[in-house]
Amino acid sequence: MTPERDPCGSTPPGPLASLGWDETLTAAFARYPAQYRPGRVSCRQRTVFDVITANESVSAHASGALRHAGRLPVVGDFVVLLSQPEAAVSTIVDVLPRRSIIARGLPGRDGADQPIAANVDLVFIVTAAGRDLNLRRIERYLALVNASGAQPVILVNKADLAGDPASLAKTVAPVAAGVPVVVVSALAGTGFAGLAPYLAPGWTVALVGSSGVGKSTLINALLGRAAQETACVRIHDGKGRHTTSVRELFVLDSGTLVIDTPGLREVGLGTVGGGLAETFPEIAELAFDCRFSDCTHAHEPGCAVREAVDAGRLSRARLESYLRLAGELAFAQEKAEIGSARSERRRWKGISKQARDFRENKGR
Ligand SMILES: Nc1nc2c(ncn2[C@@H]2O[C@H](COP(=O)(O)OP(=O)(O)O)[C@@H](O)[C@H]2O)c(=O)[nH]1
Ligand SMILES: [Mg+2]
Ligand SMILES: [Zn+2]
C-alpha cells in the first residue's frame, strides 16, 4: 500500500507529527509557498526563539510585523519560518492558530494577559507535600487551566516528605472536583505509574506550579537525564552579550512533549472567565436554585449557594475562594477594557495626527 499523497503537497515531513502537529495546522499552513517551513518554539528568550523543525533546531527572530502587532510566539507555538541561506538566524513570520493557550493576568499592566505556553493538551498542576500544599492555590491554578483549553491533572510531589502519602490525595480531593490527582515523589521515583496514562505520544504536557515544588526534578526524572544540559543555544543578544536560558520544551522517550514553566510568583487569573464554573462545579450546580439568575452569591437574597454554606453542605472556605477569584476576574476584565480603550485612543490619536500632517503638507 502506498502512503496517501497530500494534494497540496503541504504536509510537513513525518517528524512534525511527533511534535504535536495536527490536521488543523496542516490546513493553516497550506497557504504558505515552498520556501516557508513550519516549526515549534522550544525556548523563548527576550527576542530570540529556538524553533524545532522537521529535521533540526534553529534560532529565529520574530518578524517586525509580528512584534508591532504584539503577536510574539510563546513556548509551544507552531510558527512559520523563513530562512534566508545567507542569514544565520531565521525569521518567524507567523504564529499558527493555537488550540490552547495558558495565560495569566500580569499584575500592574494594562490588564493584558501574559501568555505562558501554547498548544498544551494537558497541564500538570504541581504542588508539593508540606508547606506548599495550599488548596486555595490549587483552585487558582485550576481556574487558570480550565480557561486555557487544556485538561488539568493535579500532581502532588514530595510524597516522601509525608507520613502517609495516601492522605495527600484525600486532602486535595475537596478542591479537585473530579480532576485526577496523582501523588508522586520525583526524588524517590515513586508513583510514576500513575502518570503513565497522561504521557501519550504526541501529546503536549505542561507543568505549572510554584517555584520549588519539584517541576524540574520531575522532568529530569521523566527524561532520565539532567535537563539543564540541554539549555538553549547561546546567542548574541545584539549588545555583544551572550544570553542563556534553559530549554522549556522536551521530548520524552515515550514521544510526549513536556513544557516546563518558570515558577510563577503571582498567578493573576487573567481575563478569561470560562474557568470558574468548571473549577467550582458544585457552586455552579447550586446556583441554579438562586432567586436571581445573575446572583453573585455575595449578598443577594434567596441565594442557594450561601444557604448551602449555612446548612453545612458547602464549605465556607470554598465559597470565599470562589468569591475572591470571581472578584479578581471582574477587576481584571474591567482593567483590560480600560486598557484596550486607552490603546484604542492612542491608535486614533496616531491616525488623526497622520491626517493632520497630511493636510498640513498638502499645500506645499
Ligand atoms: N524531598 C523531596 N524533595 C524534592 C522532590 N522533588 C524535588 N525536590 C527538591 O525540591 C527542590 C526544588 O526542586 P526543583 O525541581 O528545582 O523545583 P522547581 O522550582 O519546581 O523546578 C530541590 O531541592 C529538589 O531536590 C521530592 O519528590 N522529594
Ligand atoms: Mg524549575
Ligand atoms: Zn447565589
Side-chain angles (χ1 to χ4, degrees):
M1 212 176 83
T2 49
E4 234 178 276
R5 241 183 59 80
D6 174 34
C8 311
S10 62
T11 301
L16 260 188
S18 63
L19 288 177
W21 184 267
D22 63 19
E23 309 264 287
T24 314
L25 290 161
T26 300
F29 183 68
R31 65 194 174 91
Y32 283 94
Q35 67 267 38
Y36 293 88
R37 44 184 190 147
R40 190 162 196 196
V41 174
S42 66
C43 186
R44 178 189 184 168
Q45 298 171 343
R46 207 166 311 159
T47 56
V48 188
F49 302 81
D50 274 12
V51 181
I52 309 174
T53 70
N55 43 34
E56 59 179 337
S57 179
V58 300
S59 304
H61 288 294
S63 72
L66 283 181
R67 271 182 289 136
H68 290 308
R71 287 184 59 221
L72 287 178
V74 295
V75 171
D77 260 322
F78 288 99
V79 295
V80 178
L81 284 176
L82 184 59
S83 312
Q84 261 109 16
E86 67 276 11
V89 180
S90 303
T91 305
I92 298 172
V93 297
D94 200 4
V95 179
L96 294 172
R98 296 162 168 166
R99 59 174 178 260
S100 68
I101 180 78
I102 300 171
R104 64 158 173 169
L106 193 55
R109 274 229 297 188
D110 258 9
D113 291 350
Q114 180 192 32
I116 298 166
N119 302 309
V120 173
D121 301 300
L122 210 89
V123 178
F124 289 156
I125 297 172
V126 187
T127 174
R131 267 188 315 135
D132 189 72
L133 197 58
N134 177 330
L135 300 185
R136 307 284 84 87
R137 187 175 309 132
I138 295 175
E139 285 167 335
R140 179 175 288 274
Y141 273 114
L142 275 172
L144 192 118
V145 175
N146 281 329
S148 74
Q151 293 290 321
V153 171
I154 299 169
L155 210 154
V156 186
N157 187 30
K158 308 197 185 182
D160 56 291
L161 297 182
D164 172 20
S167 73
L168 288 173
K170 227 177 275 165
T171 308
V172 173
V175 299
V179 169
V181 180
V182 183
V183 179
V184 299
S185 168
L187 215 55
T190 57
F192 277 52
L195 294 178
Y198 309 112
L199 301 176
W203 280 15
T204 302
V205 176
L207 278 73
V208 300
S210 314
S211 174
V213 294
K215 297 182 297 297
S216 299
T217 310
L218 203 69
I219 290 183
N220 286 347
L222 291 171
L223 280 169
R225 64 187 145 89
Q228 276 69 21
E229 286 172 10
T230 57
C232 281
V233 195
R234 283 173 157 255
I235 303 166
H236 283 285
D237 65 358
K239 297 188 189 77
R241 267 182 299 132
H242 277 299
T243 55
T244 47
S245 130
V246 175
R247 183 182 285 285
E248 293 147 291
L249 187 139
F250 304 90
V251 187
L252 303 185
D253 287 342
S254 64
T256 313
L257 299 134
V258 180
I259 296 178
D260 196 3
T261 65
L264 306 175
R265 198 158 302 148
E266 277 184 83
V267 189
L269 264 198
T271 54
V272 190
L276 270 197
E278 265 178 278
T279 306
F280 298 89
E282 77 278 44
I283 292 182
E285 180 78 37
L286 285 163
F288 282 117
D289 293 327
C290 293
R291 185 179 305 163
F292 301 109
S293 61
D294 61 348
C295 185
T296 63
H297 324 309
H299 48 70
E300 295 88 340
C303 175
V305 176
R306 285 209 322 283
E307 276 166 21
V309 171
D310 292 340
R313 284 180 286 121
L314 175 70
S315 90
R316 188 168 297 278
R318 193 84 172 133
L319 175 59
E320 279 169 2
S321 182
Y322 171 87
L323 291 175
R324 187 175 325 112
L325 293 177
E328 222 175 85
L329 201 68
F331 181 69
Q333 281 165 346
E334 198 174 313
K335 216 164 66 167
E337 269 163 37
I338 294 168
S340 61
R342 191 181 299 143
S343 55
E344 185 70 358
R345 266 200 309 279
R346 267 201 299 271
R347 198 170 77 85
W348 276 108
K349 232 183 202 164
I351 290 173
S352 56
K353 182 177 180 320
Q354 270 173 22
R356 201 168 53 237
D357 291 351
F358 177 74
R359 275 196 308 272
E360 284 167 7
N361 290 333
K362 218 167 54 171
R364 298 189 195 154

